[in-house]
Amino acid sequence: MSVKQRITYALAASTFGQGITIGTQLLLIPMFFHYWGAGLYGEWLILSSVPAYLTMADLGIGSAAGNEMTMMAGAGNLERAQQTYRGAHWVALGAGLIALLIGLLLACMATFWMIPKTTLISPSEAGWIIVLFSLGVSINFQGSVISAGYRAAGRNGLGIGLNNTSRLLEAVGMGILLAKGAGPMMVCTVALCVKAVMLLLQHFWLQRTCPWLHHPPMPADRTLVKRLIAPALGFMAFPLGNALALQGPILVIGHLMGGPAVALFSATRTLARVPIQIANVFNSSVWPEMSRAHGSGNIPLLRTLHRSSWGITFVLVATSSVALLVLGPWLAKVWLGEATKFDTTILIFLISMTLFSATWSSSSVVLTAINAHGGLGLRYVLVNAICLGLTWVLTPSFGWWGMLAPLVLAEVLLLAWILPKVMTITQDNFGSFARQTIAEGAINLIDVVKRRKT
């Protein structure tokens, strides 16, 4: 299978996934508001944000191993790729146990000390919800290793498609339960069961589609942690940075403004982040090919992949951001109902964040794909931690402006650091990048539209 074919299949699977993300969010969030109300939904979001920090438990070994497996498979070293795969599974198992133990501790805090405090969800139920979310995090560790196996086998599109099917089934299950009047605990339980069943299906399907990754069985790589600890720590920073960037504001708003404000912010951010789903489509599609290109020393291909991904992302995100600015208030009323309070200022700030975030994310894939992301991970955490601290200081005095302005600043600073770094790696320059990237993005976008119509 050629590079173009692999990217095309992965792009199709990722597009399917983003359709699921956008569709389920647009349908589920109004259902949460309708059946649970802003208060209960906001408290559920607060509880779900707590276990998000547990994603750091695997130390990033799984992601670093996935890159190495892909490069080894591209070089034809299948035995070493299998050893890395088996070693990554053991690391994921240990990380899952650590995450579960920490989750139990957090559940005890929620049950006996009411931290975080919830008024519509009882302390005991809040504890169980945290445990269920923690189990989901543990399962995701194994899922990330299996997904890496699909990438190494050159079946990235299939792996992405199966992951997205699992997400679709979870969302459908949630919608059915909400319509039947189920509470937060039942929703979490069913979602966890669906996730576990689909993970087993992905594992058995990988055995059939990629037998060399399992037979003949090779011993697990026991030097995995020691050998990959440096890039792994870089990957570990991303869950922490994501938690600070995505879950941190929810915790700050919940403490300073209350559950209804959390629900309003979360719903508006979901609407504003629709364009960033586009960036995720291209990032997941070109990631394995960037690893292969760098491993073989093909810098021109790496440069072309970066330009194409960046250009397409910029054109699509900029266009859709303008559309959201114009149609956002109307969409919010249709989506959430006339009675729901909506603030256009929040939407403007969040769309600005999306534009900067989507573009720097497209460049960051180059760094993460070749395990050169250590500096990025550190800066991602520091920038988001500092800006989140600013929101805590400024929000009491300036309200939503004090909350949102530092979040936009974080995205601008990350773009200013990442793009020059990637230019050096891909041996590119700003002049030709600026001239060709936007044009290539527009041309490739037109080609994509034409292929879809045919």
Side-chain angles (χ1 to χ4, degrees), residues 309-328:
S309 178
W310 207 98
I312 293 174
T313 298
F314 179 82
V315 171
L316 287 175
V317 172
T319 303
S320 56
S321 294
V322 172
L324 280 175
L325 285 173
V326 176
L327 301 175

Side-chain angles (χ1 to χ4, degrees), residues 430-449:
F430 284 101
S432 59
F433 176 84
R435 289 192 304 270
Q436 297 181 27
T437 298
I438 305 301
E440 289 177 2
I443 293 172
N444 289 333
L445 175 58
I446 293 172
D447 290 341
V448 170
V449 173

Side-chain angles (χ1 to χ4, degrees), residues 124-169:
S124 59
E125 186 177 3
W128 278 110
I129 289 173
I130 291 177
V131 169
L132 292 172
F133 277 123
S134 302
L135 282 170
V137 171
S138 300
I139 291 176
N140 284 337
F141 288 151
Q142 293 294 333
S144 66
V145 177
I146 293 174
S147 295
Y150 280 101
R151 293 201 305 271
R155 304 299 300 274
N156 190 37
L158 177 58
I160 294 173
L162 291 173
N163 281 331
N164 290 329
T165 301
S166 176
R167 292 172 48 240
L168 176 60
L169 293 176

Side-chain angles (χ1 to χ4, degrees), residues 143-211:
S144 66
V145 177
I146 293 174
S147 295
Y150 280 101
R151 293 201 305 271
R155 304 299 300 274
N156 190 37
L158 177 58
I160 294 173
L162 291 173
N163 281 331
N164 290 329
T165 301
S166 176
R167 292 172 48 240
L168 176 60
L169 293 176
E170 288 181 48
V172 170
M174 286 184 180
I176 293 174
L177 290 172
L178 287 172
K180 290 184 174 296
M185 188 153 172
M186 178 60 70
V187 169
C188 293
T189 301
V190 172
L192 178 65
C193 292
V194 172
K195 188 190 299 289
V197 171
M198 285 301 299
L199 181 65
L200 290 175
L201 175 62
Q202 293 174 61
H203 171 70
F204 290 121
W205 204 327
L206 180 60
Q207 286 184 321
R208 295 189 61 182
T209 57
C210 185

Side-chain angles (χ1 to χ4, degrees), residues 261-281:
V262 170
L264 173 63
F265 173 81
S266 178
T268 308
R269 185 172 65 178
T270 298
L271 183 65
R273 284 179 63 85
V274 168
I276 209 171
Q277 309 303 330
I278 300 168
N280 294 335
V281 169

